[in-house]
Amino acid sequence: MKKLTQAIILGALGLGAQHVHAATISKSLCVGSLSKTLYGTSTTGKSVTFWGYSDCGGGGMGGMGGGTATVPGPIMEIGVNDTLNISFSPMGMMTMEGAPYNGHTIHLHGADVQTMEDGVPETNGNMVMGDTYTWTPSAGHEGSYMYHCHVHTVKHLEMGMYSAIIVRPKNASGAFLNQLNANTTTAYDYSQNYILSTVDPAYHTASGDSVVFADYNPSYFLMTGKEGKSTAAPAMTLAAAKGKKVAFRLVGLHSTNATFQIKNGSGVAQPFTVYIRDGRTLPTAKTVTSLDLSPGQRADLITTLPTTSSTWYPQITYKKLRANTDGTYPAYATVYGKVTF
Amino acid sequence: MYKSFALIGLTLTLFGVTESAFAATQNFTLYINAGTLPITGNGGATLNVWGYGTTAVPVVPAPQLTVNEGDTVNITVINNHNINHNFIIKNVTTDTSAIAAGASKNYSFTAPAAGSYVYSDTLDSNVNREMGLYGAMIVKPTDGSQTAWIGGPAYDHENVWVVSEMDKPRWNDIAAAGFVVDTATYKPNYFMINGLGGFDAMMDMDTMIMGTLNTKSLVRIVNAGQFSHSLHFHGNHFQVLSINGVRQPTPFEQWDTINVPPMSTAEVLYSINQTGHYPMHVHTAQAEGANGVYLNGAATMIDMQ
Ligand SMILES: [Cu+2]
Ligand SMILES: [Cu+2]
């Protein structure tokens, strides 16, 4: 209904055809359950149940087997001025809490959409048993965003109902450009999405207004859904050519402090340049060797690989929310990625 | 006739320019006492607290001290509680010595650069602060303008958010009963903005961001707790004006989520650029609840009319 209204208004104003290369990207998302075997500091795995979004556009039936749910959910890429239309069908009793936290939504975190598109059930026009969401990012809003359920967020986000939306620049014929924004200085050869998340298994079995949700004790730490507990078993890998540029998109869906670094084989932190934070190009790009990313934040950055072959380890160190007396934050764990070139 | 108006205008301008020469003297008296902080609604409880107040009844957070840049500020702190306390405005005052039970102390200083400051009791390994002895001092520019600082960004509305947490069973209950808190363990179960759980803060006119189209709100965030708090604003991005008193270069960066570490401050400018009703909340799991009850934690509303 709301999409139709917008289309009629745009049509009446003659604006519908203004952006000739603007595409409409339609997605159907559902919810399903899955389990992951996680290890943390233990040598024996523990099976943890998650709820994840699935792409059920292929004729699936609303979560009752539509698509395969994953954590993180499907990563959506859209171009500037494209319109993303999401049709969401959160059916399935296996993936639901009782009232008042029944149902699910999709919050387009950072999109600054109208209230009725925002996926917050406590505000007007947001349905928890199925809804549509639309967003048309403007030029200048390239970068990483996230989407997640906003019903009883303390549980539903923790359950795995999250992923990333990447807004990319396009060329005159509507093809994606391999650069972070419209500026060619942000060109890259490869890109990786590092979605940060943490897991407290107690939150996965508790529900409702439980005192469990008053105390967060994460024991598993993920990078795009995987534990990469050592450089020998990284969560994300990339085989690149030497001398090339690699973009990293950091998406903070964790519930702790976190620091991103890229270290070489000797453990020396390598420089990278942050161009975009929270979907807005920084007035001045920042070249650093370490970047803190707090829950809800995103950053889009580029590093240039050396011209001699080697291996680098981009990594996330998850840290406690409470500082030591010296002002540093005790680390929980480091999760590793790997780039060979 | 016209001439005399012009003369008046000139005189006013002169006063405006040289106002710091006429800086006021601001006197405050704060009393330290034990009291209670009720968190209403589901999951709520009455927390035992210690606090500063302008009367014998302490308030959490402590009274907001609002002064102008260059003012002479005299603060008398009277400790009517039964243990030692102190009073420090971070980055402003330096006397960390204790005020004994029943004693008082005067603190005098010249109001520093316009901005947001946090004051607290720094004794006993954060126990005194956790119990409620914290508040904000706001320093306004001398020219009386609605700007973050002279020559800085202008605003139409202002919010001060003192963000904090309390661990009722392991800290507040223990300290209030006169026992020693095991400070190695801190598992706060109440998360607040301006001493309010979300159910109250989402309706509190002083806490909510409220404005009509094309107005701007200066939001002064003071984290008096021991956890980092990552505040996510729905509805619009904000401009990051200052972090811990450091004014940011222009043009300002635009974020939708800002991390405010313990005992630090941040100032952001939120523009009302559409109409709607949106939440603002801390994005970490447990900070959204009161003893686990969803949305009665560190959350408020943004009402754009
Ligand atoms: Cu949900
Ligand atoms: Cu969010």
Side-chain angles (χ1 to χ4, degrees), chain A residues 125 128 166 259 291 327 334:
Chain A
V128 297
I166 312 297
T259 301
L291 180 72
T334 297

Side-chain angles (χ1 to χ4, degrees), chain A residues 31 51 53 88 95 101-105 148-153 155-157 161:
Chain A
V31 182
W51 297 339
Y53 291 105
F88 180 50
T95 52
Y101 303 131
N102 54 312
H104 304 287
T105 65
H148 63 78
C149 182
H150 222 290
V151 175
H152 196 206
T153 320
K155 176 173 174 70
H156 292 213
L157 192 150
M161 300 190 67

Side-chain angles (χ1 to χ4, degrees), chain A residues 248-321:
Chain A
F248 292 93
R249 301 179 184 276
L250 310 181
V251 180
L253 282 151
H254 54 311
S255 271
T256 64
N257 280 317
T259 301
F260 173 81
Q261 288 193 294
I262 302 170
K263 291 188 177 173
N264 67 11
S266 312
V268 178
Q270 304 299 310
F272 55 87
T273 303
V274 184
Y275 290 98
I276 301 174
R277 287 187 67 159
D278 292 357
R280 296 292 183 274
T281 294
L282 300 180
T284 305
K286 291 192 169 126
T287 299
V288 294
T289 56
S290 177
L291 180 72
D292 289 340
L293 198 82
S294 73
Q297 292 184 328
R298 290 89 60 213
D300 300 87
L301 56 96
I302 291 176
T303 192
T304 303
L305 301 173
T307 50
T308 51
S309 295
S310 188
T311 305
W312 279 4
Y313 301 98
Q315 53 199 264
I316 308 285
T317 299
Y318 291 97
K319 301 171 179 177
K320 295 194 170 177
L321 292 173

Side-chain angles (χ1 to χ4, degrees), chain A residues 61-312:
Chain A
M61 354 181 305
M64 309 290 283
T68 301
T70 54
V71 173
I75 294 174
M76 295 185 266
E77 291 201 332
I78 60 174
V80 158
N81 292 322
D82 286 353
T83 295
L84 174 66
N85 286 326
I86 302 172
S87 173
F88 180 50
S89 309
M91 296 306 160
M93 298 308 292
M94 296 297 288
T95 52
M96 227 173 260
E97 282 196 273
Y101 303 131
N102 54 312
H104 304 287
T105 65
I106 294 173
H107 166 55
L108 304 171
H109 177 120
D112 303 335
V113 290
Q114 293 174 21
T115 300
M116 64 165 61
E117 309 295 331
D118 201 36
V120 177
E122 292 80 8
T123 55
N124 285 337
N126 288 284
M127 307 293 125
V128 297
M129 299 303 284
D131 206 345
T132 59
Y133 305 93
T134 185
W135 176 36
T136 306
S138 315
H141 292 184
E142 297 89 350
S144 302
Y145 295 81
M146 53 209 216
Y147 69 94
H148 63 78
C149 182
H150 222 290
V151 175
H152 196 206
T153 320
V154 61
K155 176 173 174 70
H156 292 213
L157 192 150
E158 169 72 27
M159 287 302 284
M161 300 190 67
Y162 52 73
S163 193
I165 303 176
I166 312 297
V167 178
R168 296 179 59 184
K170 283 184 161 181
N171 67 13
S173 47
F176 283 135
L177 292 168
N178 283 336
Q179 49 196 56
L180 294 177
N181 59 25
N183 193 323
T184 53
T185 57
T186 65
Y188 57 80
D189 301 292
Y190 306 91
S191 78
Q192 298 249 286
N193 300 316
Y194 279 13
I195 298 177
L196 286 66
S197 67
T198 49
V199 178
D200 177 349
Y203 276 45
H204 288 242
T205 49
S207 68
D209 287 328
S210 168
V211 72
V212 166
F213 299 122
D215 181 21
Y216 193 62
N217 294 292
S219 43
Y220 308 114
F221 302 89
L222 308 181
M223 175 190 283
T224 316
K226 289 184 191 150
E227 291 187 286
K229 297 196 301 169
S230 69
T231 54
M236 297 281 287
T237 58
L238 174 70
K242 54 195 180 187
K244 297 291 187 180
K245 292 185 170 188
V246 184
F248 292 93
R249 301 179 184 276
L250 310 181
V251 180
L253 282 151
H254 54 311
S255 271
T256 64
N257 280 317
T259 301
F260 173 81
Q261 288 193 294
I262 302 170
K263 291 188 177 173
N264 67 11
S266 312
V268 178
Q270 304 299 310
F272 55 87
T273 303
V274 184
Y275 290 98
I276 301 174
R277 287 187 67 159
D278 292 357
R280 296 292 183 274
T281 294
L282 300 180
T284 305
K286 291 192 169 126
T287 299
V288 294
T289 56
S290 177
L291 180 72
D292 289 340
L293 198 82
S294 73
Q297 292 184 328
R298 290 89 60 213
D300 300 87
L301 56 96
I302 291 176
T303 192
T304 303
L305 301 173
T307 50
T308 51
S309 295
S310 188
T311 305
W312 279 4

